Amino acid sequence: AGHGARKMEDYGRFLALLASSLLVGFVSVILSLVWVFHYREGLSWDGSPAEFNWHPVLIITGFVFIQGIAIIVYRLPWTWKCSKLLMKFIHAGLNTIAMILAIVSMVAVFDFHNAKNIPNMYSLHSWIGLTAVIFYSLQLFLGFAVFLLPFAPVHLRAALMPIHVYSGLTIFATVIATALMGITEKLLFALKNPEYSASPPEATFVNCLGLLLVIFGSLILWMASRPHWKRPPAENAKILRPIGATPEGTEVESTMTNSSNADKSDLRSNTEAARKQNTKFDEAGQRSTM
């Protein structure tokens, strides 16, 4: 009974964190819209500052909020009985959407700069931002090639998984840092009368938006780094198949029915024994989650 209560308490804690991060992320997106519509010139695609405004809105929506959700999507306990392949498609799909929005948001800036004869790519913000986008696209491409397509051998997946995880979390953190640099730069440029240093309402409002981005990032990184919130390896696959027999993510794992072998509630068991048992499957590269 004690174990079950602990499990529920842990599940409750997870749900509270998930709800908080979704709320903070959603509010960040809303605040970015309030910023550009209330304090700036709104949104358009005509070479005006209103075209530039697509940049913060799409970065916060795609590159911060949607990427954050993509990172923790495997951790949602109610998806643990879904096929692993489906979850991979959702993970890859969300990251693809984030990538598209990030690219559109960059096109908006270059387009605006060129229309106004403002030089491109001179600021640290632009250097780090472009670097993040390049690494993100590499990450996306390699993720598809290695973990989603069924060709990569198990040992390659096992070797690349820790790198994939580390890179994903580092890019995500870097994107948030870059967003903070961009926000600061924009306020310094845009606030002339009164200046940024006079703390006009817009300055306070957008500083709060930056604070929310940091909170969102820290919540996502916390959820992503708790080992006991990992998706458990497929129980049946574990029972029915010798280690290394089939690369995970192939038909065997995806189509295997969860018949009588494992009661699903046991999947959430966080006992040391279960975890020790799981680690040898992790090492065999049987599953491609964090």
Side-chain angles (χ1 to χ4, degrees):
H3 174 64
R6 200 164 64 246
K7 216 150 57 174
M8 284 313 294
E9 183 190 330
D10 193 58
Y11 183 60
R13 205 170 294 156
F14 177 85
L15 285 182
L17 272 169
L18 178 65
S20 311
S21 54
L22 289 175
L23 180 67
V24 172
F26 184 69
V27 170
S28 302
V29 171
I30 298 301
L31 291 193
S32 73
L33 286 165
V34 172
W35 180 23
V36 304
F37 279 105
H38 182 69
Y39 292 104
R40 296 284 126 209
E41 303 77 8
L43 294 169
S44 69
W45 200 274
D46 54 5
S48 72
E51 178 173 349
F52 171 88
N53 290 345
W54 280 106
H55 184 68
V57 168
L58 292 180
I59 288 293
I60 289 168
T61 305
F63 228 13
V64 178
F65 186 47
I66 295 174
Q67 186 187 173
I69 295 166
I71 285 173
I72 54 155
V73 84
Y74 290 109
R75 311 226 144 199
L76 311 175
W78 54 91
T79 68
W80 290 350
K81 52 186 168 296
C82 294
S83 115
K84 179 65 182 290
L85 196 58
L86 173 67
M87 296 315 296
K88 287 185 186 184
F89 271 109
I90 292 171
H91 177 72
L94 289 171
N95 278 307
T96 304
I97 292 165
M99 182 78 206
I100 292 165
L101 296 183
I103 289 169
V104 173
S105 87
M106 282 179 61
V107 171
V109 178
F110 282 101
D111 207 50
F112 164 70
H113 280 183
N114 296 340
K116 292 274 181 285
N117 286 321
I118 300 168
N120 288 309
M121 295 306 300
Y122 64 89
S123 68
L124 182 57
H125 169 73
S126 63
W127 286 24
I128 309 263
L130 186 61
T131 305
V133 168
I134 289 167
F135 276 93
Y136 193 69
S137 49
L138 261 169
Q139 170 90 328
L140 200 57
F141 173 74
L142 279 170
F144 265 108
V146 174
F147 300 113
L148 204 50
L149 300 177
F151 310 118
V154 170
H155 63 84
L156 181 65
R157 292 179 178 204
L160 286 183
M161 181 47 61
I163 299 169
H164 179 76
V165 169
Y166 173 80
S167 305
L169 297 178
T170 304
I171 293 165
F172 176 66
T174 303
V175 164
I176 289 177
T178 311
L180 301 179
M181 295 162 75
I183 283 172
T184 306
E185 204 177 291
K186 178 64 178 175
L187 290 174
L188 285 168
F189 288 151
L191 293 176
K192 285 289 171 263
N193 199 3
E195 292 200 328
Y196 191 14
S197 55
S199 292
E202 181 178 354
T204 308
F205 181 84
V206 181
N207 284 355
C208 289
L209 168 58
L211 215 48
L212 284 184
L213 296 181
V214 174
I215 293 166
F216 177 73
S218 60
L219 288 169
I220 295 294
L221 292 173
W222 176 258
M223 291 163 76
S225 58
R226 295 310 86 202
H228 56 281
W229 288 334
K230 271 184 181 175
R231 176 186 171 102
E235 291 290 313
N236 285 0
K238 189 189 293 186
I239 295 158
L240 298 180
R241 166 175 109 214
I243 294 185
T246 332
E248 67 72 40
T250 52
E251 290 329 303
V252 174
E253 190 200 42
S254 314
T255 55
M256 206 165 268
T257 51
N258 299 316
S259 52
S260 56
N261 281 330
D263 170 24
K264 281 296 137 187
S265 65
D266 293 346
L267 275 185
R268 286 185 200 142
S269 104
N270 290 325
T271 58
E272 272 316 304
R275 208 163 308 152
K276 281 200 192 76
Q277 190 192 0
N278 288 353
T279 44
K280 63 173 188 283
F281 287 90
D282 291 350
E283 282 155 16
Q286 293 301 82
R287 60 198 179 101
S288 328
T289 49
M290 293 181 48

